[in-house]
């Protein structure tokens, strides 16, 4: 084996061990295996290599130094190869050119790609070091990378799939230099210069021809704000090719007398509508509340009260004529009480109470309403018993 008469992985040297030993490592311990490689001291003279288990036993026996060994499972990540033996095999078969290829996911390659050490440490702290074999999704690592870079790295926007925006209200010679921050809402990062002209470019995914409630960016006939620009723009026309692809967007820069407020959130600006629009929205909201309460009180409340007295009478064992008399006697009074309580309670609930407290508020009012209905339902019986 030492002189190289055997090829790689063909033979191994086992140590004579005791099968009765309680340690499974002592049952069939491999000491040497063939590995034709270059060593620091022996060069190419040695064609054998000590196994890890045998070296560990020798070090423990000689006690040259106190050996401390930590055993833990590999923190495997999906869609990646982390095993050194498998990476070496890929390199030998020319699938990868270098072992420090930035496409790999070892520590050295991640650092070459610009992944900060804080990311790797945070990733390992979250998932821990265990002895079990487990696999973590690669999106978790990418999430840590994005989160760390979001805190320490400056932000420079770029567009992959762009759409041309033409501002027809500006002249072709218009040029304005603007100052943009490297990171929004963080003054510790410096700023850089940008230009504002009649031609802009936006990401294709940021534009929709048909607007929706979950879309906060550019759409046809919709006002949006631009980062670093104290104006609103509105898309008025979409020009397309014969195949339906968008050539450019014709937008109009709104006048400076438009009252608006822009708030930065994340990587985009959410633009609040003008005051006149906000007033219109408030009126529309009030009309919707009144409509909802009216439908509830006109269509559902009378039926629900009649059903209450009918079901209660049936459960008490009353006959049909008794239930009918009970409805004639108690239904009007309960309906008047309903209209004195519920419309105003619902208007307050939908108009003033925050959304998270609307259900508790309605439940609290229902407690008193149920007490009132029970009192109306049993008032006649109590009077008859007292007579």
């Amino acid at each position: 084996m030492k002189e190289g008469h055997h090829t790689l992985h063909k033979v191994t040297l086992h140590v004579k061990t005791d099968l009765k030993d309680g340690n499974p490592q002592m049952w069939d311990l491999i000491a040497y295996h063939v590995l034709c490689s270059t060593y620091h001291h022996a060069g190419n003279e040695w064609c054998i290599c000590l196994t890890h288990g045998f070296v560990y036993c020798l070090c423990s026996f000689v006690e040259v130094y106190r050996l401390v060994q930590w055993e833990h499972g590999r923190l495997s990540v999906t869609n990646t190869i982390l095993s050194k033996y498998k990476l070496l095999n890929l390199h030998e078969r020319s699938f990868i050119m270098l072992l420090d290829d930035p496409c790999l996911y070892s520590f050295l390659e991640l650092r070459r790609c610009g992944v900060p050490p804080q990311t790797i440490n945070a990733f390992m702290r979250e998932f821990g070091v265990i002895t079990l074999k487990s696999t973590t999704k690669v999106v978790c690592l990418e999430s840590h990378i994005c989160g760390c870079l979001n805190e320490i790295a400056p932000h420079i926007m770029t567009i992959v799939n762009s759409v041309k925006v033409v501002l027809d209200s500006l002249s072709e010679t218009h040029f304005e230099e603007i100052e943009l921050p490297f990171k929004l809402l963080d003054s510790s990062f410096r700023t850089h210069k940008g230009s504002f002209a009649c031609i802009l470019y936006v990401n294709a995914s940021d534009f929709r021809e048909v607007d929706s409630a979950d879309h906060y960016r550019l759409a046809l006939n919709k006002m949006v704000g631009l980062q670093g620009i104290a104006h609103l723009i509105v898309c008025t026309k979409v020009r397309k090719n014969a195949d339906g692809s968008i050539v450019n967007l014709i937008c109009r820069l709104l006048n400076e007398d438009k009252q608006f407020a822009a708030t930065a959130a994340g990587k985009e600006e959410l633009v609040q509508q003008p005051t006149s629009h906000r007033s219109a929205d408030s009126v529309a909201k009030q009309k919707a509340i009144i409509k909802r309460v009216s439908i509830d009180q006109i269509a559902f409340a009378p039926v629900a009260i009649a059903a209450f007295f009918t079901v209660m009478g049936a459960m008490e064992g009353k006959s049909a004529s008794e239930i009918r008399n009970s409805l004639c006697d108690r239904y009007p009074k309960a309906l008047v009480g309903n209209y004195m309580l519920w419309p105003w309670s619902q208007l307050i609930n939908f108009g003033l109470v925050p959304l998270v407290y609307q259900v508790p508020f309605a439940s609290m009012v229902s407690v008193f309403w149920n007490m009132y209905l029970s009192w109306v339902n049993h008032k006649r019986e109590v009077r008859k018993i007292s007579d």
Side-chain angles (χ1 to χ4, degrees), residues 85-157:
Y85 299 103
K86 293 181 179 179
L87 293 176
L88 183 61
N89 186 15
L90 293 176
H91 177 62
E92 293 173 351
R93 296 168 62 184
S94 300
F95 285 101
I96 56 176
M97 301 302 297
L98 300 173
L99 289 177
D100 57 352
D101 193 314
C103 296
L104 304 179
Y105 270 73
S106 60
F107 285 130
L108 179 60
E109 287 71 37
L110 288 176
R111 295 292 292 118
R112 285 191 62 191
C113 289
V115 177
Q118 302 95 307
T119 298
I120 302 175
N121 293 332
F123 177 71
M124 297 186 66
R125 280 196 302 268
E126 179 175 348
F127 293 95
V129 179
I130 58 178
T131 58
L132 298 177
K133 184 179 179 180
S134 61
T135 303
T136 306
K137 292 183 178 180
V138 68
V139 294
C140 298
L141 177 59
E142 294 173 350
S143 176
H144 278 277
I145 295 175
C146 293
C148 183
L149 293 178
N150 184 51
E151 296 295 331
I152 65 175
H155 297 185
I156 299 178
M157 299 300 176

Side-chain angles (χ1 to χ4, degrees), residues 54-304:
F54 189 53
V55 171
Y56 179 71
C57 296
L58 291 178
C59 293
S60 300
F61 176 76
V62 177
E63 292 184 354
V64 176
Y65 59 90
R66 184 174 297 277
L67 183 65
V68 178
Q69 180 174 350
W70 301 91
E71 295 286 348
H72 57 82
R74 182 190 299 125
L75 190 58
S76 300
V77 181
T78 56
N79 304 330
T80 62
I81 298 177
L82 300 179
S83 172
K84 294 186 292 293
Y85 299 103
K86 293 181 179 179
L87 293 176
L88 183 61
N89 186 15
L90 293 176
H91 177 62
E92 293 173 351
R93 296 168 62 184
S94 300
F95 285 101
I96 56 176
M97 301 302 297
L98 300 173
L99 289 177
D100 57 352
D101 193 314
C103 296
L104 304 179
Y105 270 73
S106 60
F107 285 130
L108 179 60
E109 287 71 37
L110 288 176
R111 295 292 292 118
R112 285 191 62 191
C113 289
V115 177
Q118 302 95 307
T119 298
I120 302 175
N121 293 332
F123 177 71
M124 297 186 66
R125 280 196 302 268
E126 179 175 348
F127 293 95
V129 179
I130 58 178
T131 58
L132 298 177
K133 184 179 179 180
S134 61
T135 303
T136 306
K137 292 183 178 180
V138 68
V139 294
C140 298
L141 177 59
E142 294 173 350
S143 176
H144 278 277
I145 295 175
C146 293
C148 183
L149 293 178
N150 184 51
E151 296 295 331
I152 65 175
H155 297 185
I156 299 178
M157 299 300 176
T158 185
I159 298 177
V160 178
N161 185 16
S162 63
V163 173
K164 185 178 180 180
V165 177
V166 179
L167 299 177
D168 58 356
S169 58
L170 294 180
S171 63
E172 295 183 357
T173 59
H174 180 84
F175 178 82
E176 181 180 350
E177 189 178 65
I178 59 176
E179 190 173 357
L180 300 173
F182 277 116
K183 185 178 181 182
L184 295 176
L185 305 179
D186 193 343
S187 58
S188 61
F189 286 82
R190 297 190 303 272
T191 59
H192 63 282
K193 300 294 183 179
S195 60
F196 176 62
C198 63
I199 296 179
L200 307 173
Y201 291 90
V202 298
N203 202 330
S205 61
D206 291 341
F207 173 76
R208 292 183 185 178
E209 292 188 58
V210 180
D211 195 13
S212 59
D214 60 341
H215 184 66
Y216 299 100
R217 301 188 180 183
L218 188 60
L220 191 61
N221 298 322
K222 179 182 179 180
M223 294 185 299
V224 296
L226 298 176
Q227 181 181 344
I229 304 299
H231 304 282
L232 292 175
I233 66 171
V234 57
C235 181
T236 58
K237 187 178 180 181
V238 180
R239 291 179 178 174
K240 298 183 179 180
N241 290 321
D243 57 355
S245 60
I246 298 177
V247 178
N248 55 39
L249 305 176
I250 305 301
C251 297
R252 180 168 52 88
L253 190 68
L254 300 184
N255 297 330
E256 296 183 357
D257 56 353
K258 298 288 185 179
Q259 299 294 328
F260 69 93
T263 358
K267 296 181 180 180
E268 65 185 44
E269 288 191 352
L270 304 179
V271 180
Q272 190 177 358
Q273 293 181 345
T275 308
S276 58
H277 289 195
R278 293 201 301 269
S279 302
D281 291 343
S282 178
V283 173
K285 181 180 178 181
Q286 294 175 4
K287 290 182 178 179
I289 293 174
I290 295 175
K291 181 178 179 181
R292 187 187 310 174
V293 174
S294 300
I295 294 175
D296 176 69
Q297 295 301 314
I298 295 175
F300 296 102
V303 178

Side-chain angles (χ1 to χ4, degrees), residues 289-290 292-294 296-297 335-353 361-362 365:
I289 293 174
I290 295 175
R292 187 187 310 174
V293 174
S294 300
D296 176 69
Q297 295 301 314
L335 189 61
V336 172
N338 172 82
Y339 288 140
M340 294 177 62
L341 174 65
W342 277 112
W344 310 108
S345 301
Q346 294 286 50
L347 290 175
I348 294 174
N349 192 21
F350 292 132
L352 301 178
V353 179
F361 179 82
V365 177

